[in-house]
Amino acid sequence: MTVESRLLLDRLRRFFDAVAAAPDTGAGCVGHRVCVSTPLAGLPCAYVPVSMCEAPEYEAAKGDAVAWQRLRCRHDFEYWALTCAVIKDKSRGIDIPFVLNAPQRRVLALLENDRLAGRPIRLILLKARQWGGSTLIQLYMAWIQTCLRTNWHSAIVAHVKDTSATIRGMYSKLISHYPPALWEGSEAPKFVPFEGSANIRTLRGRDCNVGIGTAEKPDSLRGGDLAMVHLSETAFWPSTPGNSPGQVVRAVCCGVARKPYTLVAIESTARGVGDFFHKEWLRNKAGRGDKHAVFVPWFEISLYTEACPDPAVILTSLTPYERQLVEHGATSDNIWWYRNKSREVEQREDLASEYPSDDVEAFSSSRTSVFSSSAVERLRAGCSVLSATGDVSADGRVFHADAHGMMKLWEEPRPESRYVVAVDVGGRSAKADWSVVAVISVPDTPDNLPAVVAQWRGHTDHDLLAAKSVAVARYYNNAFLVIESNTYETSAYGSSCESNLFILNRLAESYHNIYRRETFDSLTRTYSSHIGFHTNVSTKKLLISNLIEDVRDGLYVERDVDACNELLTYEQLESGAFAAREGCHDDILMTRAIGLYVIRSGRVPARVPKTFEQHQRW
C-alpha cells in the first residue's frame, strides 16, 4: 500500500481501532470464532472460539450461566482476562480488568496457534516500552495453570530478585481477586510456600508451583519439574565464565519437555548487540531456532499518538525516514507524535534507540559505532547456512568434515580462482583473544564481489596457528597468505620475541605466496622486507576506513553472522582510536579489514601459483 493510501485511510483506521476487540462479546478477538446465543443476562449473543462449541460439555452448559462462563474461560483467554484477571493501571494507580491491547493480541495469536495445534509454545520477545509484554506472558501462564492444567509448574527468572517477585506479584493479585464462582480448583485458591521454600509457592486447589529465581542465583530452579518458564530481561543478565546467560537458560529450561501446553518465553528490551539475547534473537528471527521472534514497534503502541491537526500537511512534508515509518504502518497521528517528541533530542538516533521502529534500531549501539546498523543488516542478508564444518589436513590437500570442527566452509575452492587468507593472531588460553583464519575470494571479473568462503577460529599455540594458516592457504589454491605480524614481533603473548620471529622465518621458508611489507630505515637509507601485515595507528586507520566503505556500499559478501555482530559492536573511542566494545571481540572483523584492503590495493598475484612441491611440509 502506498503512503498516500495509508494516510487517506487514517480516519477509517482510527474508527475501527476504537470499536475493535470487545472481549465480552468476542468481537475482534483472537482466533476462529462463531456467533452463539448465551445464557448471560445483558449478553444475548457472543463470538466464542470454535473449540468451545466443539467441547463435549457445551450442550449442557448452554442453559447454565456459571457453567457456560467456566467453559468459555477454558477456551477464550481474552474473556478469562476480562472476567478473572486484574492488573494495575500505571497511569491511574488503580486495579482494572485485563483487556488486551493490539500488540498483546498479536502475540496472543502466536501463542494460541501453537497451543491449539498441540505444539510446544515457544516465544522470544524483543520489547519496546510500555505495552505489557511481560504482563501478557505471565497471565497467559496463569491461565494455563488456573483453567487448563493441574500439577503444571512454572518459573520466573529475571536479572534481579525484585523483578522476579514483581512479576509473581501479578499472580498474587490475580488469585486474591479471582471470582469464586469461576474458580475450578479442588479447594479455595491460595498462594502458600512450597515445603518451606522462600522462592517457590504452591497454588492450592490446582497443585501448581510458581518459582522465582535470578540469573545470578538460579540454583533453586535447576532440575525442577517445570512445564513453563518465563525468562525476563535476559539482555541485562550478568555474564561470568561459570554462569553465563546461555548457561542459565539451558539449566533452567532443560527439564521443560517438548509437548503440548509447555511454554518457554524469553523477553527483554535490547541492550546492544553481541550478547546472548541478541544472538538468540537473530537465530530465531532467521528460523534456526524453536521460538517465534516478535518485535513490537513504537507506532503500534497506543501511548505514542497525538491527534494530527491536518493529515494532508503530513502527507506533503514526510521525510524519507517518516515515509518509511508510514509504509510499515505508522499513521499521521503517530508521525505527529514523533515530530513533537523529536524536539526533545538532538539526534534522531537518540530517539530511535528509545523508540525503535524495527529490531535493527532496537539493537543499534551508541552513536560511537563505526559501522551503520542498517548497512550491517544488509550485509547480514548474505550470510548463509554452512555447507560444512571440519578442518583441513596438515598438508592442505583434504578437508575433513566434522560437526565439531573449528573451520566453517561455505564454498569449496574453485579451479583457477584466487583467494586471500587473512590471519588475526590471538592467544592460546580460552580467556584470550581468538585467532581467526579467514578465506576471501578474489573477484575474477569487475562484476563479482570478494566473498568470505571459509573461516577457522580457535585458540592455539602461535607455531600451530602458523601451520594451520599455511594448510588453509594450500587448500585454497595456494592462496595469498596475509598474516597479522604484531604478535609475532613482540613478546606480549608469552613467547620471546626471538622465538616468535623464528616462527615467521620458518613460515617464509615453508610457504612462498605470502604478504611482505617494505620498511625504510632512515639511518641506513635502505629498504628491508618483512613478513606479514603490521597493524599500527596509521595502518589501522587505512584498514577501518576501507572496511567502512566496503560495508556501507555492500562491496563484499559476508557469510558469517558473528562477523556482522562484531561490526555492530565496533566503536570509535574519544581518543579517535578504534576498538571492540568492552566484553566484545573484533578478531573476525580484523581479518575482513586486512583481507579486503589487500585485495583492493592490488597486491594479490595475478595468477594462481602452482603447487610448491619442494615446500609441502611445515
Side-chain angles (χ1 to χ4, degrees):
M1 182 180 292
T2 66
V3 171
E4 290 76 10
S5 298
R6 280 195 183 278
L7 291 177
L8 289 174
L9 290 173
D10 268 0
R11 290 178 180 271
L12 190 60
R13 176 176 175 172
R14 286 195 294 269
F15 169 76
F16 280 116
D17 283 347
V19 299
D24 55 345
T25 66
C29 291
V30 167
H32 186 198
R33 294 170 177 265
V34 294
C35 186
V36 301
S37 59
T38 85
L40 304 183
L43 188 67
C45 61
Y47 291 90
V48 302
V50 171
S51 61
M52 175 181 171
C53 300
E54 295 174 346
E57 59 269 41
Y58 177 70
E59 289 299 324
K62 289 199 299 186
D64 185 328
V66 173
W68 190 90
Q69 283 186 288
R70 285 187 173 188
L71 180 61
R72 187 176 178 186
C73 283
R74 291 198 295 271
H75 291 267
D76 190 343
F77 173 79
E78 293 188 72
Y79 180 75
W80 171 86
L82 173 72
T83 308
C84 302
V86 172
I87 61 171
K88 184 177 180 179
D89 185 316
K90 294 181 180 179
S91 62
R92 293 179 290 171
I94 60 174
D95 292 335
I96 59 173
F98 180 33
V99 177
L100 277 66
N101 57 37
Q104 288 170 333
R105 291 198 303 274
R106 179 152 71 88
V107 176
L108 175 65
L110 295 174
L111 301 176
E112 282 291 87
N113 283 342
D114 280 348
R115 182 184 71 85
L116 293 172
R119 295 188 295 263
I121 305 168
R122 302 292 187 265
L123 177 76
I124 182 168
L125 183 62
L126 173 57
K127 298 195 304 182
R129 297 177 179 274
Q130 302 296 324
W131 65 270
S134 296
T135 299
L136 174 67
I137 291 171
Q138 193 54 46
L139 290 180
Y140 189 81
M141 292 167 60
W143 175 58
I144 292 176
Q145 289 180 311
T146 57
C147 292
L148 305 179
R149 288 290 184 270
T150 58
N151 197 31
W152 206 248
H153 307 315
S154 66
I156 307 154
V157 184
H159 57 308
V160 294
K161 191 170 184 178
D162 286 349
T163 302
S164 299
T166 298
I167 296 174
R168 191 171 68 179
M170 299 180 197
Y171 213 130
S172 299
K173 184 184 292 289
L174 166 73
I175 298 306
S176 65
H177 290 79
Y178 208 98
L182 301 184
W183 176 250
E184 296 193 60
S186 57
E187 57 181 299
K190 189 176 181 181
F191 246 167
V192 296
F194 173 71
E195 297 182 354
S197 171
N199 297 320
I200 303 176
R201 303 281 179 88
T202 294
L203 178 58
R204 280 185 176 171
R206 302 291 295 180
D207 293 326
C208 292
N209 294 340
V210 179
I212 63 172
T214 67
E216 294 177 331
K217 296 180 179 180
D219 296 332
S220 62
L221 302 175
R222 295 177 190 263
D225 180 20
L226 295 176
M228 300 187 295
V229 177
H230 178 187
L231 306 163
S232 179
E233 295 294 1
T234 54
F236 296 84
W237 290 8
S239 182
T240 62
N243 206 37
S244 68
Q247 290 172 318
V248 173
V249 170
R250 287 190 291 272
V252 175
C253 297
C254 66
V256 180
R258 289 195 55 80
K259 63 182 183 180
Y261 290 89
T262 61
L263 183 150
V264 175
I266 300 176
E267 52 87 358
S268 184
T269 45
R271 195 189 185 191
V273 301
D275 57 19
F276 165 79
F277 180 70
H278 178 241
K279 292 177 181 178
E280 190 69 2
W281 169 263
L282 292 176
R283 190 173 71 88
N284 285 279
K285 179 185 175 183
R288 298 192 300 271
D290 63 335
K291 301 174 183 66
H292 298 291
V294 181
F295 170 74
V296 175
W298 66 265
F299 50 78
E300 288 189 15
I301 303 170
S302 59
L303 289 175
Y304 308 134
T305 61
E306 288 184 24
C308 178
D310 190 349
V313 172
I314 292 288
L315 177 62
T316 58
S317 62
L318 289 173
T319 67
Y321 180 73
E322 291 172 343
R323 180 172 288 270
Q324 183 180 1
L325 292 177
V326 172
E327 288 173 348
H328 287 84
T331 68
S332 56
D333 289 349
N334 293 135
I335 300 300
W336 188 249
W337 174 89
Y338 177 83
R339 289 184 178 183
N340 291 329
K341 190 68 177 178
S342 65
R343 299 173 186 272
E344 300 177 9
V345 298
E346 181 179 358
Q347 300 285 341
R348 184 183 68 79
E349 289 78 7
D350 294 334
L351 192 62
S353 65
E354 293 295 318
Y355 305 98
S357 62
D358 57 31
D359 61 315
V360 176
E361 285 187 347
F363 282 110
S364 293
S365 54
S366 66
R367 284 156 52 194
T368 60
S369 296
V370 173
F371 300 96
S372 161
S373 58
S374 58
V376 173
E377 291 310 307
R378 289 195 298 270
L379 197 66
R380 193 189 298 276
C383 297
S384 58
V385 178
L386 295 174
S387 61
T389 58
D391 218 334
V392 295
S393 59
D395 60 8
R397 292 180 181 272
V398 181
F399 178 83
H400 298 288
D402 181 354
H404 302 290
M406 291 189 292
M407 184 169 174
K408 300 176 180 179
L409 188 148
W410 289 277
E411 289 183 14
E412 290 281 358
R414 298 188 302 271
E416 302 305 319
S417 291
R418 294 179 298 154
Y419 299 91
V420 166
V421 171
V423 183
D424 187 72
V425 183
R428 293 175 289 180
S429 70
K431 295 182 180 180
D433 292 333
W434 295 92
S435 291
V436 179
V437 181
V439 186
I440 304 174
S441 64
V442 180
D444 50 7
T445 68
D447 296 332
N448 291 339
L449 296 176
V452 177
V453 298
Q455 176 178 288
W456 182 94
R457 186 180 189 228
H459 296 104
T460 188
D461 291 341
H462 294 157
D463 59 335
L464 297 179
L465 176 64
K468 176 64 65 180
S469 303
V470 169
V472 172
R474 284 179 174 147
Y475 185 72
Y476 276 89
N477 300 348
N478 293 300
F480 192 49
L481 178 58
V482 188
I483 190 164
E484 181 265 322
S485 60
N486 296 48
T487 301
Y488 287 107
E489 295 173 356
T490 66
S491 57
Y493 281 75
S495 301
S496 69
C497 181
E498 290 78 10
S499 64
N500 276 339
L501 289 175
F502 170 74
I503 294 173
L504 288 179
N505 292 331
R506 191 178 177 190
L507 179 65
E509 293 173 357
S510 65
Y511 193 77
H512 285 178
N513 194 27
I514 193 168
Y515 179 92
R516 297 171 184 267
R517 70 187 190 278
E518 285 191 342
T519 58
F520 178 73
D521 190 327
S522 59
L523 294 178
T524 62
R525 310 290 296 177
T526 59
Y527 288 92
S528 57
S529 177
H530 299 272
I531 299 166
F533 191 101
H534 187 82
T535 306
N536 53 45
V537 173
S538 298
T539 59
K540 192 168 187 178
K541 286 183 178 179
L542 288 174
L543 293 178
I544 300 306
S545 295
N546 183 74
L547 187 58
I548 289 172
E549 183 178 350
D550 286 336
V551 172
R552 182 195 66 214
D553 297 337
L555 298 181
Y556 87 102
V557 178
E558 184 56 69
R559 296 282 172 65
D560 186 27
V561 294
D562 288 333
C564 295
N565 295 342
E566 287 192 2
L567 290 168
L568 290 173
T569 56
Y570 202 62
E571 299 181 336
Q572 186 167 22
L573 308 179
E574 291 184 1
S575 64
F578 299 104
R581 185 188 305 166
E582 185 177 356
C584 301
H585 296 278
D586 62 1
D587 319 293
I588 301 175
L589 179 152
M590 288 307 300
T591 62
R592 277 45 170 184
I594 293 171
L596 292 170
Y597 176 79
V598 169
I599 291 173
R600 178 171 288 192
S601 66
R603 293 289 303 274
V604 184
R607 295 183 179 180
V608 176
K610 295 181 179 180
T611 303
F612 306 121
E613 296 294 347
Q614 70 272 34
H615 299 292
Q616 287 299 301
R617 297 184 64 83
W618 166 254

